[in-house]
Amino acid sequence: MQNTPILPPSMLGILGGGQLGRMFTVAAKNMGYKVTVLDPDPNAPAAEFADRHLCAAFDDEAALNELAQCAAVTTEFENVNADAMRFLARRTTVSPSGDCVAIAQNRIQEKAWIRKAGLQTAPYQAVCKAEDITEASAEFLPGILKTATLGYDGKGQIRVKTLEELQTAFAAHGGVDCVLEKMVDLRGEISVIVCRLNSDNVQTFDPAENIHENGILAYSIVPARLPQDIQQQARQMARRLADELDYVGVLAVEMFVVGDTHELVVNEIAPRPHNSGHHTIDACAASQFQQQVRIMCHLPPADTRLLSACCMANILGDVWQEDGGEPDWLPLQSDTASFLHLYGKKAARKGRKMGHFVTLAHDADAAFAKAADLHGKL
Ligand code: ADP
Ligand code: MG
């Protein structure tokens, strides 16, 4: 990989044109770059802002050839074909590497790798065939049986209490590779976003405290309401993971806060900007998307400083009316310390992430209270 900085108005490429791709595109365009997006959806949220939309499948060779003309290419999601990443990497600069993306695609590899880096995960066992379920599996009960690949927003997960339920759940998943994870005594969930160019240029954002509803992220509160030493430890752990991977790009590390002692265990990683980092657009010196642009262009990550306590609230399709009528935006838009972001998605389905807003306040409690109040008025 050649390390000369890539400067505006170079063309940057991204695999995927969802909301993450859209916010990446806006950041890159603001800095004066041009953007090509590859996404098979003609209504992809990023397409509205991109200079060029390659409307084709992610493994379409002609489209990948076009994307490879970009000065550098990145991705907005981890379930991208590793062969497509390799194809691109032979022709242009790709970050993060296909190998790093592949690790995040499979929970079995991901967990093994986290432990190899010397960090804790919840106790787990890989379940790839019916015979893998034995008396010894009881050690991981009550637990959650998660499919090894393609799970998100709580999808592909079944909670099990007994060995019988475990067998039924494995069959219900269709016998695909799974991870049986012991339920931990969850006191909270946090995430740390690391921005890494190389070992000399690494920045971490303040940990975000994440609140889920029905398996989907609902609120991210920053600063997290946890002791400073735990927050420092979380940042160091995330950094250690990025260093071990020799990661180049933006990496999100989700962690569980366990038990009275607030022990941190790593849940999963995402090789890209993350929903829990959307507040960085409105509340930090540089956003996670500016960092993604900078790093893919071989520029060191910029200042991650939190400028105000804040809370990000997701806006799901659930708040649209039955007939597709818009929510009442007036209370939110009238608030002078809250910032609305809509992704331009056409159909508002239940559970679909349509947008988010960020509320700034004097402390985390106040920001969260304000966000919950405004969300209730949508
Ligand atoms: P997803 O890919 O859907 O985000 P996660 O593995 O992060 O899957 O699980 C979704 C949520 O389920 C977590 O954010 C957490 O609230 C809960 N959860 C997952 N694993 C455990 C566990 N081992 N113990 C307790 N809660 C868990
Ligand atoms: Mg998760």
Side-chain angles (χ1 to χ4, degrees):
M1 190 192 287
Q2 60 133 313
N3 291 318
T4 327
I6 296 166
L7 299 171
S10 301
M11 179 71 86
L12 306 180
I14 184 161
L15 283 157
Q19 62 265 24
L20 298 175
R22 176 181 172 106
M23 289 182 267
F24 163 86
T25 301
V26 170
K29 294 290 293 172
N30 267 329
M31 286 184 240
Y33 292 95
K34 295 197 184 76
V35 178
T36 298
V37 172
L38 171 58
D39 194 301
D41 178 1
N43 297 316
E48 230 182 297
F49 294 99
D51 296 271
R52 198 158 172 224
H53 177 198
L54 301 166
C55 192
F58 292 117
D59 58 0
D60 183 297
E61 196 164 323
L64 287 171
N65 252 319
E66 286 296 319
L67 197 64
Q69 305 305 310
C70 295
V73 173
T74 187
T75 175
E76 69 145 15
F77 69 140
E78 50 272 37
N79 291 320
V80 43
N81 186 312
D83 287 338
M85 298 285 284
R86 281 188 211 111
F87 178 93
L88 290 166
R90 283 195 296 271
R91 291 162 176 81
T92 183
T93 303
V94 176
S95 66
S97 72
D99 290 349
C100 291
V101 172
I103 287 170
Q105 282 175 357
N106 185 306
R107 290 189 198 273
I108 299 173
Q109 285 180 41
E110 185 179 53
K111 285 185 196 299
W113 182 84
I114 290 164
R115 292 214 173 161
K116 214 173 98 206
L119 302 174
Q120 295 288 326
T121 66
Y124 77 96
Q125 178 204 338
V127 180
C128 301
K129 48 187 189 310
E131 299 79 67
D132 290 339
I133 301 173
T134 65
E135 292 294 315
S137 305
E139 188 191 328
F140 306 102
L141 298 175
I144 308 182
L145 188 70
K146 305 179 178 180
T147 56
T149 61
L150 301 174
Y152 69 98
D153 289 346
K155 292 185 176 62
Q157 304 196 0
I158 302 176
R159 298 192 174 208
V160 289
K161 291 206 193 70
T162 62
L163 287 173
E164 268 167 22
E165 283 179 16
L166 175 57
Q167 275 153 354
T168 311
F170 182 62
H173 279 326
V176 297
D177 289 1
C178 289
V179 164
L180 171 63
E181 225 181 280
K182 193 176 170 69
M183 289 296 288
V184 298
D185 176 15
L186 209 59
R187 300 298 169 92
E189 298 189 52
I190 60 171
S191 52
V192 177
I193 293 170
V194 197
C195 311
R196 186 178 186 279
L197 176 63
N198 52 39
S199 55
D200 295 330
N201 293 283
V202 189
Q203 301 270 358
T204 53
F205 284 103
D206 281 80
E209 174 185 339
N210 299 325
I211 296 180
H212 295 82
E213 288 172 3
N214 306 318
I216 305 178
L217 182 68
Y219 298 98
S220 288
I221 304 163
V222 198
R225 294 165 299 175
L226 279 175
Q228 269 307 323
D229 57 326
I230 306 281
Q231 300 206 33
Q232 268 314 322
Q233 198 191 330
R235 288 171 95 133
Q236 280 160 9
M237 285 166 64
R239 191 189 163 131
R240 173 145 25 127
L241 283 175
D243 281 338
E244 285 287 331
L245 269 177
D246 197 15
Y247 192 85
V248 181
V250 175
L251 175 75
V253 183
E254 292 182 22
M255 299 177 202
F256 294 150
V257 183
V258 179
D260 294 332
T261 55
H262 289 161
E263 189 197 350
L264 296 177
V265 310
V266 179
N267 173 29
E268 57 177 351
I269 60 172
R272 51 169 170 80
H274 194 257
N275 194 169
S276 66
H278 290 353
H279 68 280
T280 59
I281 297 176
D282 301 297
C284 291
S287 77
Q288 60 174 347
F289 302 101
Q290 285 172 291
Q291 306 283 29
Q292 186 180 19
V293 173
R294 291 181 61 86
I295 296 168
M296 76 188 286
C297 292
H298 312 305
L299 296 164
D303 194 343
T304 49
R305 200 164 5 139
L306 183 69
L307 304 176
S308 168
C310 66
C311 178
M312 187 281 317
N314 267 337
I315 303 172
L316 303 183
D318 308 50
V319 299
W320 266 253
Q321 282 147 37
E322 293 277 310
D323 62 359
E326 293 283 317
D328 180 9
W329 299 121
L330 190 61
L332 180 53
Q333 285 294 69
S334 306
D335 189 278
T336 56
S338 296
F339 305 99
L340 175 63
H341 299 252
L342 291 173
Y343 308 147
K345 294 184 183 176
K346 296 264 183 310
R349 290 190 296 275
K350 283 210 184 317
R352 188 175 198 205
K353 290 173 182 168
M354 301 295 289
H356 72 268
F357 65 91
V358 173
T359 288
L360 307 184
H362 58 272
D363 67 19
D365 284 327
F368 180 35
K370 169 86 97 61
D373 178 53
L374 286 170
H375 190 272
K377 291 178 175 155
L378 289 176

